[in-house]
Amino acid sequence: MSRVTAVRGDITRQQVDAVVNAANRGMRGGGGVDGAIHRAGGPEVLADCIARFPHGLTTGDAGWTTAGDLPARWVIHVVGPNHAAGERDRALLISCYRRALDVADELGATTVAFPLISAGIYGWPLDDAVDAAVTTLAETPSSVTEARIVAFDEAMFTRVERRLAAS
Ligand code: ADP
């Protein structure tokens, strides 16, 4: 049985141990899912980002903070490659999912919600972004029992469902 599941919804509403944020290298908030997580989590999330990551994070890496007011306990921040700006190394996108699972294991988080990293403002081609998520979350050894891909809109949800059905 695969640990990978999919829902259509808002990642900030997920009842899981940890939610993954598609952050940027500066880690001081941004648009898209990053903005939604900071808004819903409240100022504690930003304060913890500043305290723990004074120099931000590098592309492909992950690190955790409190989740503030979110139902989850932790936010695992990852920095996806910015395809739109010319960062097109797929290994960096795969690394985001792998490193997020590593951090979940360090925390003891067994249920983790993921956005489609780099698939928004960063412009990664959508089917490949979905394939990288599903394949990496299914194949990476980890104690995570549910890796829930949260698709924000119906079209993305359909892509994820189709890819899961093919695996
Ligand atoms: P990136 O900069 O890594 O591309 P974005 O936040 O722009 O990150 O987009 C990543 C994905 O997250 C996109 O598919 C976008 O539609 C989706 N998204 C945006 N807001 C939310 C949210 N609240 N919950 C879940 N997914 C979201």
Side-chain angles (χ1 to χ4, degrees), residues 13 18 75 88 165:
R13 313 288 284 269
V75 176
R88 297 183 181 172

Side-chain angles (χ1 to χ4, degrees), residues 9-11 22 32-33 36 115-122 150 152 156:
D10 181 341
I11 203 164
V33 72
L116 271 314
I117 299 163
S118 294
I121 297 161
Y122 281 3
V150 182
F152 199 44
M156 184 61 97

Side-chain angles (χ1 to χ4, degrees), residues 3-5 11 13-20 67 71-76 100-101 103-115 137 142-150:
R3 65 160 82 100
V4 185
T5 62
I11 203 164
R13 313 288 284 269
Q14 303 300 309
Q15 306 270 348
V16 285
D17 295 333
V19 298
V20 172
R73 184 155 168 208
W74 299 285
V75 176
I76 299 174
L101 290 170
V103 171
D105 283 347
E106 283 167 28
L107 293 167
T110 57
T111 56
V112 183
F114 290 81
L137 292 175
S142 157
S143 299
V144 168
T145 54
E146 185 188 0
R148 185 184 305 171
I149 298 176
V150 182

Side-chain angles (χ1 to χ4, degrees), residues 9 17 44-46 51 63 68 73 79 83 93 121 133 137 156 158 160:
D17 295 333
E44 268 185 73
V45 178
L46 179 60
R73 184 155 168 208
V79 182
H83 192 282
L93 184 56
I121 297 161
L137 292 175
M156 184 61 97
T158 303
V160 177

